[in-house]
Amino acid sequence: MKQNITLSLERELLRKAKVLAARKGTSVSGLLAQYLERVLKEESAYERARKDALAVLARGFHLGGKILTSREEWHAR
């Protein structure tokens, strides 16, 4: 369900927005709706990637190899 909102813009900004919307074959409302949808989709994708990356970091990495000596052996002098 769509809902209308009221938006206040400077005259010059509104004029430029109307010109851009006309060039793209849409309205200022349509232009703003497309922009908000894109921004929110990108934000959602970023948050999902951030959450996944933090989960990987929390699990840690196993880079292979074996520890052949103990810490004490390395630091013995």
Side-chain angles (χ1 to χ4, degrees):
M1 180 176 99
K2 291 186 177 185
Q3 185 172 344
N4 290 334
I5 63 167
T6 301
L7 180 66
S8 297
L9 300 172
E10 295 292 328
R11 281 182 201 252
E12 185 62 17
L13 180 60
L14 180 57
R15 186 188 69 74
K16 290 178 181 180
K18 286 180 178 180
V19 170
L20 179 61
R23 274 193 273 149
K24 293 184 176 276
T26 188
S27 64
V28 172
S29 180
L31 193 67
L32 289 171
Q34 290 170 7
Y35 175 76
L36 283 173
E37 286 175 8
R38 187 176 71 239
V39 167
L40 292 172
K41 185 185 285 186
E42 289 171 0
E43 180 70 19
S44 176
Y46 170 81
E47 284 301 322
R48 192 170 38 257
R50 180 180 177 275
K51 183 179 175 182
D52 291 347
L54 289 174
V56 168
L57 288 175
R59 282 193 310 267
F61 295 97
H62 177 62
L63 301 176
K66 296 179 183 176
I67 299 175
L68 302 176
T69 58
S70 68
R71 183 176 192 271
E72 290 75 23
E73 290 175 314
W74 278 105
H75 293 284
R77 296 187 185 231

